[in-house]
Coordinates of all heavy atoms in Angstrom, one line a residue:
M5 N 111.1 110.6 82.1 CA 109.8 110.2 82.6 C 109.9 109.2 83.7 O 110.7 108.3 83.5 CB 108.9 109.8 81.4 CG 107.7 108.9 81.8 SD 106.5 108.6 80.5 CE 107.5 107.7 79.3
T6 N 109.1 109.3 84.7 CA 109.0 108.3 85.7 C 107.6 107.7 85.8 O 106.7 108.4 85.6 CB 109.3 108.9 87.1 OG1 110.7 109.5 87.1 CG2 109.3 107.9 88.2
V7 N 107.6 106.4 85.9 CA 106.3 105.7 86.0 C 106.2 104.9 87.3 O 107.1 104.2 87.7 CB 106.1 104.7 84.8 CG1 104.8 104.0 84.9 CG2 106.1 105.5 83.5
F8 N 105.1 105.1 88.0 CA 104.9 104.4 89.3 C 103.8 103.3 89.0 O 102.8 103.5 88.4 CB 104.3 105.4 90.3 CG 105.3 106.4 90.7 CD1 105.1 107.7 90.4 CD2 106.5 106.1 91.5 CE1 106.1 108.7 90.8 CE2 107.4 107.0 91.8 CZ 107.2 108.3 91.5
L9 N 104.1 102.1 89.6 CA 103.1 101.1 89.6 C 102.4 101.2 90.9 O 103.0 101.1 92.0 CB 103.8 99.7 89.5 CG 102.9 98.5 89.7 CD1 101.8 98.5 88.6 CD2 103.7 97.2 89.7
L10 N 101.1 101.5 90.9 CA 100.3 101.7 92.1 C 99.4 100.5 92.3 O 98.8 100.0 91.3 CB 99.5 103.0 92.0 CG 100.4 104.3 91.7 CD1 99.4 105.5 91.5 CD2 101.3 104.5 92.8
L11 N 99.3 100.1 93.5 CA 98.3 99.0 93.9 C 97.2 99.7 94.6 O 97.4 100.3 95.6 CB 99.0 98.0 94.7 CG 98.0 96.9 95.3 CD1 97.3 96.2 94.3 CD2 98.8 96.0 96.2
Y12 N 96.0 99.6 94.1 CA 94.8 100.1 94.7 C 94.2 99.0 95.6 O 93.7 98.0 95.0 CB 93.7 100.6 93.7 CG 94.1 101.9 93.1 CD1 95.1 102.1 92.2 CD2 93.4 103.0 93.5 CE1 95.4 103.3 91.6 CE2 93.7 104.3 92.9 CZ 94.7 104.4 92.0 OH 95.0 105.6 91.5
L13 N 94.3 99.1 96.9 CA 93.7 98.1 97.8 C 92.4 98.6 98.2 O 92.2 99.6 98.9 CB 94.7 98.0 99.0 CG 96.1 97.4 98.8 CD1 96.9 97.6 100.0 CD2 96.0 96.0 98.4
C14 N 91.3 97.9 97.8 CA 90.0 98.4 98.0 C 89.2 97.4 99.0 O 89.5 96.2 99.0 CB 89.2 98.4 96.7 SG 90.1 99.5 95.5
A15 N 88.3 98.0 99.8 CA 87.6 97.3 100.8 C 86.6 96.3 100.2 O 86.3 95.2 100.7 CB 86.9 98.2 101.7
D16 N 86.1 96.6 99.0 CA 85.1 95.7 98.4 C 85.1 95.9 96.8 O 85.9 96.7 96.3 CB 83.7 96.0 98.9 CG 83.2 97.4 98.7 OD1 83.6 98.0 97.7 OD2 82.5 97.9 99.5
A17 N 84.3 95.1 96.1 CA 84.4 95.1 94.7 C 83.9 96.4 94.0 O 84.2 96.7 92.9 CB 83.6 94.0 94.1
S18 N 83.2 97.3 94.8 CA 82.7 98.5 94.3 C 83.8 99.5 94.1 O 83.7 100.5 93.4 CB 81.6 99.1 95.1 OG 82.2 99.6 96.4
R19 N 85.0 99.3 94.8 CA 86.2 100.1 94.7 C 85.9 101.5 95.1 O 86.4 102.5 94.6 CB 86.8 100.1 93.3 CG 87.4 98.7 93.0 CD 88.1 98.7 91.7 NE 88.6 97.4 91.4 CZ 88.9 97.0 90.2 NH1 88.7 97.7 89.1 NH2 89.4 95.8 90.0
T20 N 85.0 101.7 96.1 CA 84.7 103.1 96.6 C 85.5 103.5 97.8 O 85.6 104.6 98.1 CB 83.2 103.1 97.0 OG1 82.9 102.1 98.0 CG2 82.3 103.0 95.8
D21 N 86.2 102.5 98.4 CA 87.0 102.8 99.6 C 88.4 102.1 99.3 O 88.5 101.0 99.7 CB 86.4 102.3 100.9 CG 87.2 102.7 102.1 OD1 88.0 103.6 102.0 OD2 87.0 102.0 103.1
C22 N 89.3 102.9 98.8 CA 90.6 102.3 98.4 C 91.8 103.1 99.0 O 91.7 104.3 99.2 CB 90.8 102.3 96.9 SG 89.5 101.4 96.0
Q23 N 92.8 102.3 99.3 CA 94.1 102.9 99.7 C 95.1 102.7 98.5 O 95.0 101.6 97.9 CB 94.6 102.3 100.9 CG 93.9 102.7 102.2 CD 94.5 102.1 103.4 OE1 95.2 101.1 103.4 NE2 94.3 102.8 104.5
V24 N 96.0 103.6 98.2 CA 96.9 103.5 97.2 C 98.3 103.2 97.7 O 98.7 103.9 98.6 CB 96.9 104.7 96.3 CG1 97.9 104.6 95.1 CG2 95.5 105.0 95.8
V25 N 99.0 102.2 97.2 CA 100.3 101.8 97.7 C 101.2 101.8 96.5 O 100.9 101.2 95.4 CB 100.3 100.4 98.3 CG1 101.7 100.0 98.7 CG2 99.4 100.4 99.5
K26 N 102.4 102.5 96.6 CA 103.4 102.5 95.5 C 104.1 101.1 95.6 O 104.7 100.8 96.6 CB 104.3 103.6 95.7 CG 105.4 103.6 94.6 CD 106.4 104.8 94.8 CE 107.7 104.4 94.3 NZ 108.8 105.3 94.7
A27 N 104.0 100.4 94.5 CA 104.5 99.0 94.5 C 105.9 99.0 93.8 O 106.8 98.2 94.2 CB 103.6 98.1 93.7
D28 N 106.1 99.8 92.8 CA 107.4 99.9 92.1 C 107.5 101.1 91.2 O 106.5 101.9 91.2 CB 107.5 98.6 91.2 CG 108.9 98.2 90.9 OD1 109.9 99.0 91.1 OD2 109.2 97.1 90.5
S29 N 108.6 101.4 90.6 CA 108.7 102.5 89.7 C 109.8 102.3 88.7 O 110.7 101.5 88.9 CB 109.1 103.8 90.5 OG 110.3 103.7 91.1
W30 N 109.7 103.0 87.6 CA 110.7 102.9 86.5 C 111.0 104.3 86.0 O 110.1 105.1 86.0 CB 110.1 102.0 85.3 CG 109.9 100.6 85.6 CD1 110.8 99.6 85.3 CD2 108.8 100.0 86.2 NE1 110.2 98.4 85.8 CE2 109.0 98.6 86.3 CE3 107.6 100.5 86.7 CZ2 108.1 97.7 86.9 CZ3 106.7 99.6 87.3 CH2 106.9 98.2 87.4
N31 N 112.2 104.4 85.4 CA 112.6 105.7 84.8 C 113.1 105.5 83.4 O 113.6 104.4 83.1 CB 113.8 106.3 85.6 CG 113.3 106.8 87.0 OD1 112.4 107.6 87.2 ND2 114.0 106.2 88.0
G32 N 112.9 106.4 82.6 CA 113.4 106.4 81.2 C 112.3 106.4 80.1 O 111.1 106.4 80.5
P33 N 112.7 106.3 78.9 CA 111.8 106.5 77.8 C 110.8 105.3 77.6 O 109.8 105.4 77.1 CB 112.7 106.6 76.5 CG 114.0 106.0 76.9 CD 114.1 106.2 78.4
Y34 N 111.2 104.1 78.2 CA 110.3 102.9 78.0 C 109.7 102.5 79.4 O 109.3 101.4 79.5 CB 111.1 101.7 77.5 CG 111.7 102.1 76.1 CD1 113.1 102.3 76.0 CD2 110.9 102.2 75.0 CE1 113.6 102.7 74.8 CE2 111.5 102.5 73.8 CZ 112.8 102.8 73.7 OH 113.4 103.1 72.5
A35 N 109.7 103.4 80.3 CA 109.2 103.2 81.7 C 107.7 102.7 81.6 O 107.4 101.7 82.4 CB 109.4 104.4 82.6
Y36 N 106.9 103.3 80.9 CA 105.5 103.0 80.9 C 105.3 101.5 80.3 O 104.6 100.8 80.9 CB 104.7 104.0 80.0 CG 103.2 103.7 80.2 CD1 102.5 104.1 81.3 CD2 102.5 103.0 79.2 CE1 101.1 103.9 81.4 CE2 101.1 102.8 79.3 CZ 100.4 103.2 80.4 OH 99.1 102.9 80.5
E37 N 106.0 101.2 79.3 CA 105.9 99.9 78.7 C 106.4 98.8 79.7 O 105.8 97.7 79.8 CB 106.7 99.8 77.4 CG 106.1 100.5 76.3 CD 106.4 102.0 76.3 OE1 107.2 102.5 77.1 OE2 105.9 102.7 75.4
Q38 N 107.5 99.1 80.4 CA 108.0 98.2 81.4 C 106.9 98.0 82.5 O 106.8 96.8 83.0 CB 109.3 98.7 82.0 CG 110.4 98.7 81.1 CD 111.7 99.5 81.7 OE1 111.5 100.5 82.3 NE2 112.8 98.9 81.4
C39 N 106.3 99.0 82.9 CA 105.3 98.9 84.0 C 104.1 98.1 83.5 O 103.7 97.1 84.1 CB 104.8 100.3 84.4 SG 103.6 100.3 85.7
T40 N 103.6 98.4 82.3 CA 102.4 97.7 81.8 C 102.7 96.2 81.5 O 101.8 95.4 81.5 CB 101.8 98.3 80.5 OG1 102.8 98.5 79.5 CG2 101.3 99.7 80.9
D41 N 104.0 95.9 81.2 CA 104.4 94.5 81.0 C 104.2 93.6 82.3 O 103.9 92.4 82.1 CB 105.8 94.4 80.5 CG 106.0 94.8 79.1 OD1 105.0 94.9 78.4 OD2 107.1 95.0 78.7
V42 N 104.3 94.2 83.5 CA 104.3 93.4 84.7 C 102.8 93.3 85.2 O 102.5 92.4 86.0 CB 105.2 93.9 85.8 CG1 106.7 93.9 85.3 CG2 104.8 95.3 86.3
V43 N 102.0 94.2 84.8 CA 100.6 94.3 85.4 C 99.8 93.0 85.2 O 99.2 92.5 86.2 CB 99.8 95.5 84.9 CG1 98.3 95.4 85.3 CG2 100.4 96.8 85.4
P44 N 99.8 92.4 84.0 CA 99.0 91.2 83.9 C 99.5 90.0 84.8 O 98.6 89.4 85.4 CB 99.2 90.8 82.4 CG 99.5 92.1 81.7 CD 100.3 92.9 82.7
S45 N 100.8 89.8 84.9 CA 101.2 88.7 85.8 C 100.9 89.0 87.3 O 100.6 88.1 88.0 CB 102.7 88.5 85.6 OG 103.5 89.6 85.9
L46 N 101.0 90.3 87.7 CA 100.7 90.6 89.1 C 99.2 90.5 89.3 O 98.8 90.0 90.4 CB 101.1 92.1 89.4 CG 102.6 92.3 89.4 CD1 102.9 93.8 89.6 CD2 103.3 91.5 90.5
T47 N 98.4 90.9 88.4 CA 96.9 90.7 88.5 C 96.6 89.2 88.6 O 95.8 88.8 89.4 CB 96.2 91.4 87.3 OG1 96.6 92.8 87.3 CG2 94.7 91.3 87.5
E48 N 97.2 88.4 87.7 CA 97.0 87.0 87.7 C 97.4 86.3 89.0 O 96.7 85.4 89.5 CB 97.7 86.3 86.5 CG 97.4 84.9 86.3 CD 96.0 84.6 86.0 OE1 95.3 85.4 85.3 OE2 95.5 83.5 86.3
A49 N 98.4 86.9 89.7 CA 98.8 86.3 91.0 C 97.8 86.5 92.1 O 97.9 85.8 93.1 CB 100.2 86.9 91.3
L50 N 96.9 87.5 91.9 CA 95.9 87.7 93.0 C 94.9 86.6 93.0 O 94.6 86.0 91.9 CB 95.2 89.1 92.7 CG 96.0 90.3 92.9 CD1 95.2 91.5 92.4 CD2 96.5 90.5 94.3
T51 N 94.3 86.3 94.1 CA 93.2 85.3 94.1 C 92.0 85.9 93.4 O 91.9 87.1 93.2 CB 92.8 85.0 95.5 OG1 92.3 86.1 96.2 CG2 94.0 84.4 96.3
A52 N 91.1 85.1 92.9 CA 90.0 85.5 92.1 C 89.2 86.6 92.9 O 88.8 87.6 92.3 CB 89.1 84.3 91.7
P53 N 88.8 86.4 94.2 CA 88.1 87.5 94.8 C 88.9 88.8 94.9 O 88.3 89.9 94.8 CB 87.8 86.9 96.2 CG 88.0 85.4 96.1 CD 89.0 85.2 95.0
N54 N 90.2 88.7 95.1 CA 91.0 89.9 95.2 C 91.1 90.6 93.9 O 91.3 91.8 93.8 CB 92.4 89.6 95.8 CG 92.3 89.4 97.3 OD1 91.3 89.9 97.9 ND2 93.2 88.7 97.8
R55 N 91.1 89.9 92.8 CA 91.1 90.5 91.5 C 89.9 91.5 91.3 O 90.0 92.5 90.5 CB 91.1 89.5 90.3 CG 92.5 89.0 90.0 CD 92.5 88.0 88.8 NE 93.2 86.9 89.3 CZ 92.8 85.6 89.2 NH1 91.7 85.3 88.7 NH2 93.5 84.7 89.7
K56 N 88.8 91.1 91.9 CA 87.6 92.0 91.8 C 87.7 93.2 92.6 O 87.2 94.3 92.3 CB 86.4 91.2 92.1 CG 86.0 90.1 91.2 CD 84.8 89.3 91.7 CE 84.6 88.1 90.8 NZ 83.6 87.2 91.3
R57 N 88.5 93.2 93.7 CA 88.6 94.3 94.6 C 89.8 95.2 94.4 O 89.8 96.4 94.5 CB 88.7 93.8 96.1 CG 87.4 93.1 96.5 CD 87.4 92.6 97.9 NE 88.6 92.7 98.6 CZ 88.9 92.0 99.7 NH1 88.0 91.1 100.2 NH2 90.0 92.1 100.3
H58 N 91.0 94.6 94.1 CA 92.2 95.3 94.0 C 92.6 95.4 92.5 O 92.3 94.6 91.7 CB 93.3 94.6 94.8 CG 92.9 94.2 96.2 ND1 92.2 95.1 97.0 CD2 93.1 93.1 96.8 CE1 92.1 94.4 98.2 NE2 92.5 93.2 98.1
R59 N 93.5 96.5 92.2 CA 93.9 96.6 90.9 C 95.3 97.3 90.8 O 95.6 98.1 91.8 CB 93.0 97.3 90.0 CG 92.7 98.8 90.4 CD 91.6 99.4 89.5 NE 91.2 100.6 90.1 CZ 91.2 101.8 89.4 NH1 91.6 101.8 88.2 NH2 90.8 102.9 90.0
F60 N 96.1 97.0 89.8 CA 97.3 97.7 89.6 C 97.2 98.7 88.5 O 96.5 98.5 87.5 CB 98.4 96.6 89.1 CG 98.8 95.7 90.2 CD1 98.2 94.4 90.4 CD2 99.8 96.0 91.1 CE1 98.5 93.6 91.4 CE2 100.1 95.2 92.2 CZ 99.5 93.9 92.3
V61 N 97.8 99.9 88.7 CA 97.7 101.0 87.7 C 99.1 101.5 87.5 O 99.8 101.7 88.5 CB 96.8 102.1 88.2 CG1 96.7 103.3 87.3 CG2 95.4 101.5 88.4
C62 N 99.4 101.8 86.2 CA 100.7 102.5 85.9 C 100.4 104.0 85.8 O 99.5 104.3 85.0 CB 101.3 102.0 84.6 SG 101.8 100.2 84.7
E63 N 101.1 104.8 86.5 CA 100.8 106.2 86.5 C 102.1 107.0 86.1 O 103.1 106.8 86.7 CB 100.3 106.7 87.8 CG 100.0 108.2 87.9 CD 99.4 108.6 89.2 OE1 98.3 108.2 89.6 OE2 100.1 109.4 89.9
I64 N 102.0 107.8 85.1 CA 103.1 108.6 84.6 C 103.3 109.9 85.3 O 102.3 110.6 85.6 CB 102.9 108.9 83.1 CG1 102.9 107.7 82.2 CG2 104.1 109.8 82.6 CD1 102.5 107.9 80.8
Q65 N 104.6 110.1 85.7 CA 104.9 111.4 86.4 C 106.0 112.0 85.5 O 107.1 111.4 85.4 CB 105.4 111.2 87.8 CG 105.7 112.5 88.4 CD 106.1 112.4 89.9 OE1 106.1 111.3 90.4 NE2 106.5 113.5 90.5
R66 N 105.7 113.1 84.9 CA 106.7 113.8 84.0 C 107.8 114.3 84.9 O 107.6 114.9 85.9 CB 106.1 114.9 83.2 CG 104.9 114.4 82.3 CD 105.4 113.8 81.1 NE 104.3 113.4 80.3 CZ 104.4 112.4 79.4 NH1 105.5 111.8 79.2 NH2 103.3 112.0 78.7
D67 N 109.0 114.1 84.4 CA 110.2 114.7 85.1 C 110.3 116.2 84.7 O 110.6 116.5 83.6 CB 111.5 114.0 84.7 CG 111.5 112.5 85.1 OD1 110.8 112.2 86.1 OD2 112.1 111.7 84.4
V68 N 109.9 117.0 85.7 CA 109.9 118.5 85.5 C 110.9 119.1 86.5 O 110.8 118.8 87.7 CB 108.5 119.1 85.7 CG1 108.5 120.6 85.5 CG2 107.5 118.4 84.7
A69 N 111.8 119.9 85.9 CA 112.8 120.6 86.8 C 112.0 121.5 87.7 O 111.1 122.3 87.3 CB 113.8 121.3 86.0
K70 N 112.4 121.5 89.0 CA 111.7 122.4 90.0 C 112.7 123.4 90.4 O 113.9 123.1 90.6 CB 111.2 121.6 91.2 CG 110.1 120.6 90.8 CD 109.6 119.9 92.0 CE 108.4 119.0 91.6 NZ 108.8 117.7 91.3
P71 N 112.3 124.7 90.7 CA 113.2 125.7 91.2 C 113.8 125.3 92.5 O 113.2 124.5 93.3 CB 112.4 126.9 91.3 CG 111.0 126.6 90.9 CD 110.9 125.2 90.5
A72 N 114.9 125.8 92.9 CA 115.6 125.4 94.1 C 114.8 125.7 95.3 O 114.9 125.1 96.4 CB 117.0 126.1 94.2
D73 N 114.0 126.8 95.2 CA 113.1 127.2 96.4 C 111.8 126.4 96.5 O 111.0 126.7 97.3 CB 112.9 128.7 96.4 CG 112.1 129.2 95.2 OD1 112.0 128.4 94.2 OD2 111.6 130.3 95.2
H74 N 111.6 125.4 95.6 CA 110.4 124.7 95.6 C 110.2 123.9 96.9 O 111.1 123.2 97.3 CB 110.3 123.7 94.4 CG 109.1 122.8 94.4 ND1 107.9 123.2 94.0 CD2 109.0 121.5 94.8 CE1 107.0 122.2 94.1 NE2 107.7 121.2 94.6
K75 N 109.1 124.0 97.5 CA 108.8 123.2 98.7 C 107.9 122.1 98.4 O 106.9 122.2 97.7 CB 108.1 124.1 99.8 CG 108.9 125.4 100.1 CD 109.4 125.2 101.5 CE 110.1 126.5 102.0 NZ 111.4 126.7 101.6
A76 N 108.2 120.9 98.9 CA 107.4 119.7 98.6 C 106.0 119.9 99.3 O 105.9 120.3 100.4 CB 108.1 118.5 99.1
Q77 N 105.0 119.5 98.6 CA 103.6 119.5 99.1 C 103.4 118.3 100.0 O 104.0 117.2 99.8 CB 102.6 119.5 98.0 CG 102.7 120.8 97.1 CD 102.4 122.0 97.9 OE1 101.4 122.0 98.7 NE2 103.1 123.0 97.7
P78 N 102.5 118.4 101.0 CA 102.2 117.2 101.8 C 101.7 116.0 100.9 O 101.0 116.3 99.9 CB 101.1 117.7 102.7 CG 101.0 119.1 102.5 CD 101.7 119.5 101.3
A79 N 101.9 114.8 101.3 CA 101.4 113.7 100.6 C 99.9 113.6 100.5 O 99.2 113.9 101.5 CB 102.0 112.4 101.2
F80 N 99.4 113.3 99.4 CA 97.9 113.2 99.2 C 97.5 111.7 99.2 O 98.1 110.9 98.4 CB 97.5 113.9 97.9 CG 96.1 113.7 97.5 CD1 95.1 114.5 98.2 CD2 95.7 112.9 96.5 CE1 93.8 114.3 97.9 CE2 94.3 112.8 96.2 CZ 93.4 113.5 96.9
I81 N 96.6 111.4 100.0 CA 96.1 110.0 100.0 C 94.8 110.0 99.1 O 93.9 110.6 99.4 CB 95.7 109.6 101.5 CG1 97.0 109.6 102.3 CG2 95.1 108.2 101.4 CD1 96.7 109.3 103.8
H82 N 95.0 109.2 98.0 CA 93.9 109.1 97.1 C 92.7 108.3 97.6 O 93.0 107.1 98.0 CB 94.4 108.6 95.8 CG 93.4 108.3 94.7 ND1 92.5 109.2 94.4 CD2 93.1 107.2 93.9 CE1 91.7 108.7 93.5 NE2 92.0 107.5 93.2
K83 N 91.6 108.8 97.5 CA 90.3 108.0 97.8 C 89.5 108.1 96.6 O 89.4 109.1 95.9 CB 89.6 108.6 99.0 CG 90.3 108.5 100.3 CD 90.1 107.2 100.9 CE 90.6 107.1 102.3 NZ 90.3 105.9 103.0
S84 N 88.8 107.0 96.3 CA 87.9 107.0 95.2 C 86.5 107.0 95.7 O 86.1 106.3 96.6 CB 88.1 105.6 94.4 OG 87.2 105.5 93.4
Y85 N 85.7 108.0 95.2 CA 84.3 108.1 95.6 C 83.4 108.0 94.4 O 83.7 108.4 93.3 CB 84.1 109.5 96.2 CG 84.9 109.8 97.4 CD1 86.1 110.5 97.3 CD2 84.5 109.3 98.6 CE1 86.9 110.7 98.5 CE2 85.3 109.5 99.8 CZ 86.5 110.2 99.7 OH 87.2 110.4 100.8
R86 N 82.3 107.4 94.7 CA 81.3 107.2 93.6 C 79.9 107.7 94.1 O 79.5 107.4 95.3 CB 81.1 105.7 93.3 CG 80.3 105.4 92.1 CD 80.2 104.0 91.8 NE 81.6 103.6 91.3 CZ 81.9 102.4 91.0 NH1 81.1 101.4 91.2 NH2 83.1 102.1 90.5
M87 N 79.3 108.5 93.3 CA 78.0 109.1 93.7 C 76.8 108.2 93.3 O 76.9 107.5 92.3 CB 77.8 110.4 93.1 CG 78.7 111.4 93.6 SD 78.5 111.8 95.3 CE 78.4 113.5 95.3

């Protein structure tokens, strides 16, 4: 299993306009725990106003074997929308 630490950089506290940046990654059976262990200290390092706007998220990506003819999909830029 691979876990990515993602930083959501948002324009305001409503978090409706965010860019996602990969900050780090871990591999192995304890990858998620390693990621979640660093989130509190990284969040605490943000200034108070930035803690309201930005956030760190650990996202699991299962290691799945892909056929040799698999073609990579274009990168997807995540946007958060609220109705």
Side-chain angles (χ1 to χ4, degrees):
M5 156 171 63
T6 300
V7 176
F8 293 110
L9 175 63
L10 303 175
L11 171 58
Y12 282 72
L13 295 169
C14 304
D16 58 34
S18 70
R19 295 185 178 156
T20 56
D21 183 20
C22 302
Q23 290 184 333
V24 181
V25 177
K26 179 181 151 191
D28 207 341
S29 65
W30 292 265
N31 293 302
Y34 303 105
Y36 187 78
E37 289 81 3
Q38 292 172 319
C39 182
T40 57
D41 285 347
V42 301
V43 168
S45 61
L46 292 173
T47 302
E48 185 65 29
L50 295 171
T51 62
N54 283 337
R55 274 184 232 129
K56 294 176 184 173
R57 294 184 350 200
H58 311 315
R59 64 184 168 124
F60 290 95
V61 176
C62 295
E63 184 177 292
I64 298 172
Q65 179 177 0
R66 302 280 178 207
D67 296 330
V68 179
K70 295 183 175 91
D73 63 344
H74 175 77
K75 301 252 190 278
Q77 296 297 318
F80 175 73
I81 298 172
H82 174 49
K83 292 278 188 175
S84 178
Y85 297 99
R86 189 178 289 176
M87 295 294 234

